[in-house]
Amino acid sequence: MTNQNWQFDTEQSLVENHGLKIDEFERIVEGLGREPNLTELGIFSAMWNEHCSYKSSKFWLKKLPTSGERVIQGPGENAGVIDIDDGDVAVFKMESHNHPSFLEPYQGAATGVGGILRDVFTMGARPVANLNALRFGDPNHPKTKHLVSGVVGGIGGYGNCIGIPTVGGEVNFHPSYNGNILVNAMTVGIAKKDKIFYSAAAGIGNPVVYVGSKTGRDGIHGATMASAEFDEDSEDKKPTVQVGDPFTEKLLLEACLELMKEEAIIAIQDMGAAGLTSSSIEMASKGNVGIDINLSKVPMRALNMTAYELMLSESQERMLMVIDPSKEKMAREIFKKWDLEFEVIGEVTDTKKLVLHMNGNEEASIPINILVEDAPEYQREYIVSKPSPPVIFNPNEFDDKKILDELVLMVSHPNLCSRKWIWEQYDHMVMADTVVRPGSDAAVVRVHGTNKGIAISTDCSPTYCKHNSFEGGKHAVVETWRNLIASGAIPIAITDCMNFGNPEKPEIMGQFVECIRGMGEACSKLKYPVISGNVSLYNETNGVGIYPTPAIGGVGLIRDLSKTMTIDFKSEGNIVFVIGESHNHLGNSQYLSIVKNKEDGGPPPVNLEEELKNGEFVLNCINQNIFQSVHDVGEGGLLVAIAEMCLAGNKGIKIDIKKEFLHGYFFGEDQARYLVEVSKDKLNNFESQARDHNVQIEKVGVIEGLSLKIESIGDIDIKALSRHHTDWFDKFSKN
């Protein structure tokens, strides 16, 4: 007996196998006034898990800034929407597909791409760019090579087949991901401001229509699996991984966009996590209506499927719509033309309930509010770990003569080496609007038929977040902001993918809270709001969690594509400057990790005033055509950034710098810094502008020759440096 005096006939193990706590089950019984049947239990399991309900995170997510002068749609829809002038909007979101990708790397990554594409074109946007943020374990771990190969193959396979360019992203390695990799997929689409579609069902009696592929048994309990830790039995969860078909998705994309032009769609929702369950309930909830569904009418590709299976299947390439009944015939013909399923499976009602029938029997009847508004919301206990203290370094402990050898070690390391091996497997030029390819600070894609573009970047430094979650959260935001600035774009908004361990552990929840706090402070100061995103928790194996990883995807506007900046050095004789202050911050740096094999000290502090001032100055100079190339100074520090500019442009540089602590200057990861290339005829204007804006600049060197030369230390040939930079992935893939 419980406090409510209910006698449960449902076995506790069945409840727990559905990812529900006993007290949550008690809430279900109290809300229904009875025990749920198996189908209803499955529906509650899907809607109340972390992946769909955000029950551990939504209290804190509400504290993030989500509005701005260019924000048309913030969090709460399939994707966020921003105004990019001239009646155009950019629609974008980032989603995780971590657990499926660890179990089945190819299909997990592929369906992650497919899912985020549907989130975007559901809003009425044509997808124009895919990106990803990937985290793998130690390269020497026995599973890592298999996982890298499968994930990269899945991303490329799906994106290439559907014909959407994969234009950027990030790939990093760390032992904390040995048992739980991260695969975060991002898509950006373009639509007209007056042609955005939403998910709120409306119109009592209007038909509810199923379109796309048939429903099978793949992916059942996928959302629930994504809300649980891994253990030694995780391999048994492979059947929960969905199977994707990019060719069908292409047909679905074109059919949906064609129907949208006919103004036949009242509401539309992707069948993503939790499939028909989440799509129907979300549409009903947002429209404050009910939905009746006859499951016997759902197109099936497997025999004898039950109501439970039909509601929880996560078969891919499916959508749910409410359409204008007067246009049903026309809509049916469009989907028939594209060789896709089109079936009226239900109607909108005034009951505010989800009611399911099958073969003449009622299979479920649940008030929508119990599933959505009354879903659990926890303010979990949290502990804020003490940030790692700063580390003071003695310059005398470092040998300046080794700087170039150490640079080689760094640029050949898997976390800093060229990703060319990866992005060459992606079609990044299809659609012919990619302006800046992978390898620069941000990808740039033309808004088709115009001279404006959108810049896109993803970033995060999990080691920063581990050692100081507040500063790490700020850093993840400002890094994408600087990347957009460096490309010549006005940063507008971000999407996020919050990847963390078990939130029931106070120290993990503390990481989440502090990252949110840091992100919120940065977003507010920079006027760079969060308009969409995803939370992925329980990223653990056998109780060992990943490093906190709040991956950020930033989007900005370039009004005139002729102002676009890239990182490659352009012309011999031009002068290279660093903008921003250098404080020799080596704590928690890539230098310490790669060269010294240490992970000591707190991350570099983020001064948001400096970020704003220096970023606005850089953008102003770009608009005045003062720079020929620009590069954000990030992980690896100044010298790694210089090397990347040399390699991108196949040009050398002569550096003549005198510093007491040369290692700190070259490899410190101080924030709010940019490297810029200035021609001699623009020099006076540049220096004058810097004085007027009170921005610190320092000459680093002059572009010349075909080697990276540091006076009094030595030089290294650019070709040799390039070999070191590109060899790692080639060798890794072949060994």
Side-chain angles (χ1 to χ4, degrees):
M1 300 289 286
T2 71
N3 293 334
Q4 292 83 17
N5 294 316
W6 295 106
Q7 179 67 53
F8 296 131
D9 295 321
T10 309
E11 293 183 6
Q12 181 173 334
S13 62
L14 182 61
V15 174
E16 292 173 344
N17 287 340
H18 279 77
L20 294 165
K21 303 285 195 293
I22 292 302
D23 65 323
E24 293 175 337
F25 183 75
E26 291 176 350
R27 291 176 63 168
I28 293 168
V29 174
E30 183 178 11
L32 290 175
R34 59 178 173 82
E35 292 191 36
N37 62 35
L38 182 61
T39 299
E40 292 170 330
L41 183 65
I43 290 169
F44 274 102
S45 167
M47 294 304 296
W48 282 19
N49 63 49
E50 288 286 355
H51 195 76
C52 294
S53 76
Y54 299 108
K55 58 188 177 185
S56 296
S57 60
K58 57 187 172 184
F59 174 82
W60 295 102
L61 294 174
K62 293 173 186 175
K63 298 182 180 298
L64 290 170
T66 58
S67 60
E69 63 180 30
R70 288 183 175 270
V71 176
I72 294 171
Q73 175 63 55
E77 273 291 341
N78 287 291
V81 184
I82 58 172
D83 191 324
I84 56 170
D85 297 339
D86 311 308
D88 298 320
V89 296
V91 180
F92 62 95
K93 188 183 180 183
M94 185 188 288
E95 270 271 11
S96 64
H97 231 222
N98 303 334
H99 286 41
S101 299
F102 184 75
L103 295 173
E104 289 281 4
Y106 186 96
Q107 287 297 344
T111 52
V113 174
I116 197 64
L117 282 166
R118 290 193 301 279
D119 280 341
V120 168
F121 73 74
T122 299
M123 301 292 293
R126 178 172 290 279
V128 297
N130 289 330
L131 296 92
N132 49 75
L134 311 177
R135 298 287 186 288
F136 298 101
D138 186 334
N140 296 315
H141 190 276
K143 285 189 176 181
T144 299
K145 182 180 176 181
H146 164 70
L147 292 167
V148 171
S149 176
V151 166
V152 171
I155 291 169
Y158 204 101
N160 295 353
C161 289
I162 198 172
I164 310 294
T166 301
V167 298
E170 52 173 340
V171 182
N172 290 97
F173 299 84
H174 191 278
S176 84
Y177 306 103
N178 281 346
N180 202 122
I181 64 172
L182 302 183
V183 176
N184 297 170
M186 179 178 176
T187 293
V188 184
I190 302 295
K192 287 297 180 181
K193 191 175 182 178
D194 59 352
K195 296 292 184 181
I196 304 169
F197 289 79
Y198 299 96
S199 58
I204 306 305
N206 279 340
V208 176
V209 181
Y210 173 119
V211 300
S213 292
K214 289 183 169 73
T215 296
R217 290 190 170 96
D218 54 315
I220 293 174
H221 284 305
T224 302
M225 178 270 292
S227 303
E229 299 178 25
F230 283 149
D231 54 30
E232 59 274 1
D233 298 321
S234 295
E235 291 292 310
D236 296 340
K237 297 176 180 177
K238 282 188 176 182
T240 62
V241 180
Q242 310 93 329
V243 178
D245 179 355
F247 300 106
T248 300
E249 179 114 336
K250 173 64 173 174
L251 300 177
L252 183 61
L253 162 66
E254 298 300 339
C256 287
L257 293 179
E258 182 175 342
L259 185 59
M260 287 167 172
K261 291 179 182 177
E262 302 295 334
E263 298 184 349
I265 297 173
I266 295 168
I268 182 169
Q269 179 71 40
D270 162 44
M271 289 194 216
L276 189 53
T277 289
S278 64
S279 57
S280 58
I281 292 166
E282 287 171 12
M283 290 175 77
S285 174
K286 290 172 183 174
N288 196 29
V289 295
I291 287 181
D292 279 15
I293 294 176
N294 183 352
L295 292 172
S296 301
K297 293 185 175 183
V298 173
M300 306 174 212
R301 65 167 184 259
L303 296 173
N304 302 315
M305 291 191 72
T306 65
Y308 180 96
E309 292 171 325
L310 288 167
M311 290 303 292
L312 296 181
S313 168
E314 294 185 8
S315 295
Q316 298 289 285
E317 294 82 46
R318 303 179 300 158
M319 309 286 267
L320 199 64
M321 299 177 179
V322 176
I323 64 169
D324 181 341
S326 69
K327 298 184 178 182
E328 180 184 328
K329 182 180 178 183
M330 176 266 292
R332 187 181 297 276
E333 288 173 352
I334 288 174
F335 278 84
K336 182 180 179 181
K337 179 183 74 174
W338 291 101
D339 197 25
L340 293 166
E341 300 292 331
F342 180 100
E343 193 68 45
V344 178
I345 65 169
E347 66 176 14
V348 179
T349 69
D350 61 1
T351 65
K352 298 184 182 181
K353 290 183 177 181
L354 175 70
V355 180
L356 306 176
H357 294 88
M358 190 171 184
N359 300 324
N361 300 315
E362 184 176 280
E363 296 287 345
S365 179
I366 310 173
I368 298 294
N369 68 295
I370 300 176
L371 289 162
V372 182
E373 288 88 350
D374 296 345
E377 179 176 334
Y378 298 124
Q379 294 184 45
R380 298 216 185 260
E381 179 185 355
Y382 67 92
I383 296 171
V384 176
S385 300
K386 188 176 180 180
S388 297
V391 180
I392 306 300
F393 296 95
N394 183 351
N396 296 326
E397 295 175 359
F398 297 81
D399 184 356
D400 291 350
K401 298 295 184 183
K402 294 182 177 179
I403 281 177
L404 287 174
D405 292 334
E406 291 166 339
L407 173 65
V408 169
L409 280 177
M410 293 181 69
V411 301
S412 57
H413 188 273
N415 282 340
L416 294 176
C417 70
S418 169
R419 272 78 177 118
K420 190 176 179 181
W421 177 85
I422 293 175
W423 57 256
E424 281 189 338
Q425 297 182 58
Y426 306 151
D427 190 337
H428 48 275
M429 297 303 292
V430 65
M431 299 178 77
D433 280 319
T434 304
V435 177
V436 177
R437 306 180 184 190
S440 206
D441 282 319
V444 178
V445 177
R446 181 189 304 273
V447 177
H448 191 73
T450 74
N451 191 41
K452 67 183 178 186
I454 51 173
I456 322 156
S457 174
T458 63
D459 223 298
C460 182
S461 293
T463 58
Y464 289 3
C465 297
K466 175 69 173 178
H467 289 266
N468 187 328
S469 298
F470 175 68
E471 290 294 334
K474 286 199 293 184
H475 174 269
V477 172
V478 301
E479 178 66 22
T480 63
W481 193 82
R482 287 199 303 268
N483 286 339
L484 299 178
I485 291 282
S487 71
I490 304 164
I492 296 177
I494 68 171
T495 182
D496 59 33
C497 205
M498 306 294 289
N499 307 275
F500 291 77
N502 184 346
E504 297 169 51
K505 297 177 179 178
E507 64 275 15
I508 301 297
M509 197 65 213
Q511 293 172 350
F512 184 87
V513 170
E514 285 295 279
C515 279
I516 287 283
R517 198 166 68 84
M519 289 166 56
E521 189 170 301
C523 289
S524 295
K525 183 66 179 180
L526 301 177
K527 297 181 178 175
Y528 191 42
V530 184
I531 66 163
S532 62
N534 168 244
V535 177
S536 175
L537 304 178
Y538 296 96
N539 289 289
E540 299 198 356
T541 298
N542 293 325
V544 180
I546 64 166
Y547 272 19
T549 312
I552 303 295
V555 177
L557 172 66
I558 300 178
R559 291 195 175 102
D560 178 359
L561 284 172
S562 69
K563 307 288 189 182
T564 303
M565 288 286 109
T566 54
I567 72 169
D568 49 305
F569 282 150
K570 302 299 190 300
S571 300
E572 189 110 352
N574 285 346
I575 304 166
V576 180
F577 287 84
V578 60
I579 295 171
E581 297 183 15
S582 300
H583 300 288
N584 305 328
H585 194 104
L586 278 180
N588 212 265
S589 64
Q590 288 293 323
Y591 175 85
L592 275 194
S593 174
I594 295 169
V595 179
K596 302 297 186 182
N597 198 29
K598 295 179 180 179
E599 201 174 285
D600 293 348
V606 176
N607 184 324
L608 294 171
E609 291 285 353
E610 287 294 302
E611 293 285 358
L612 191 61
K613 181 180 69 171
N614 292 354
E616 290 177 345
F617 170 71
V618 169
L619 205 55
N620 181 62
C621 289
I622 290 172
N623 288 328
Q624 294 184 53
N625 299 313
I626 292 173
F627 302 147
Q628 294 198 19
S629 62
V630 183
H631 192 8
D632 157 54
V633 180
E635 292 185 333
L638 192 68
L639 193 58
V640 169
I642 291 170
E644 290 168 345
M645 298 178 83
C646 289
L647 292 168
N650 193 32
K651 297 225 171 8
I653 185 171
K654 180 181 177 183
I655 301 172
D656 190 3
I657 292 285
K658 303 289 190 301
K659 297 287 181 183
E660 183 181 351
F661 187 16
L662 208 54
H663 273 80
Y665 180 78
F666 277 140
F667 298 120
E669 297 180 3
D670 302 291
Q671 304 292 288
R673 294 188 299 166
Y674 303 81
L675 281 163
V676 298
E677 175 186 355
V678 183
S679 61
K680 291 179 181 177
D681 63 315
K682 304 284 185 165
L683 187 59
N684 288 337
N685 189 11
F686 171 58
E687 292 176 334
S688 174
Q689 295 269 2
R691 286 191 298 271
D692 292 345
H693 289 83
N694 194 31
V695 168
Q696 181 167 317
I697 63 172
E698 183 176 15
K699 181 181 174 182
V700 173
V702 178
I703 300 172
E704 66 173 46
L706 292 172
S707 68
L708 192 160
K709 182 177 182 181
I710 305 174
E711 288 292 308
S712 74
I713 291 177
D715 65 334
I716 180 169
D717 184 73
I718 297 299
K719 287 184 178 179
L721 194 62
S722 179
R723 284 195 300 273
H724 290 295
H725 191 49
T726 57
D727 277 358
W728 188 86
F729 267 108
D730 289 336
K731 291 176 180 176
F732 178 71
S733 64
K734 293 172 183 175
N735 291 338

